Amino acid sequence: MSNAISTQPDSYLEFWNEYHLCTLTTLRPNGRPHVVPVGVTVDVDAGVARVITRKSSRKVANILAGGVEAHVALCQVDGGRWATLEGVAEVCTDEAVVEDAVARYGKRYGRTPAPDPERVVILVSVERALGQTLGARPQPAQAAA
């Protein structure tokens, strides 16, 4: 299946499996951007990215206000390496979809969040993938002797 994510080089796909916090940019009803840190999981085969959050969050309100054309961007950066996924977001409350997203989050980030009855999933149908993921990973600073 060809999609915006699956056509990227292996380094791009590997980068989205490394432990990195990301940002999600949504648009407020007045058009101003709202940028928040999030954890993201990417499903290459389905061409979607997932973010778990609370249904009362501002990001969810922004997506719902955007309707069927709620455009968002997900980004992560590590030194000179970066990747952005752009697409249309929807909010999903289906329990099985939420459980699947929580399991994916646990696999990527090494911890499973506590149960939360307010949890929903932001599903992003990725339309565009861009970035630069080749190059050396930054090394931790060495302590002075």
Side-chain angles (χ1 to χ4, degrees):
M1 172 184 201
S2 178
N3 62 50
I5 306 169
S6 67
T7 59
Q8 297 300 310
D10 289 345
S11 64
Y12 191 88
L13 307 178
E14 290 166 6
F15 188 52
W16 278 105
N17 286 317
E18 294 174 10
Y19 185 105
H20 295 288
L21 291 180
C22 306
T23 59
L24 168 66
T25 302
T26 60
L27 296 176
R28 294 180 177 98
N30 66 6
R32 290 182 179 224
H34 177 254
V35 183
V36 293
V38 294
V40 176
T41 60
V42 175
D43 183 340
V44 174
D45 294 332
V48 301
R50 294 174 178 84
V51 175
I52 56 174
T53 189
R54 294 179 60 86
K55 65 182 171 185
S56 59
S57 70
R58 176 77 254 171
K59 56 190 160 288
V60 166
N62 291 343
I63 291 166
L64 293 175
V68 296
E69 290 296 318
H71 293 277
V72 302
L74 295 161
C75 186
Q76 68 180 15
V77 63
D78 182 36
R81 299 183 311 147
W82 63 277
T84 299
L85 301 173
E86 298 175 352
V88 175
E90 66 177 291
V91 178
C92 183
T93 59
D94 180 87
E95 189 175 325
V97 175
V98 172
E99 288 176 7
D100 177 60
V102 168
R104 290 170 186 269
Y105 178 96
K107 184 176 178 183
R108 181 174 187 198
Y109 291 101
R111 71 172 192 84
T112 301
D116 183 347
E118 298 291 307
R119 184 167 290 129
V120 296
V121 178
I122 297 171
L123 293 171
V124 179
S125 297
V126 178
E127 298 173 336
R128 188 171 180 214
L130 51 146
Q132 174 52 260
T133 56
L134 294 175
R137 295 174 70 173
Q139 298 299 313
Q142 298 293 323

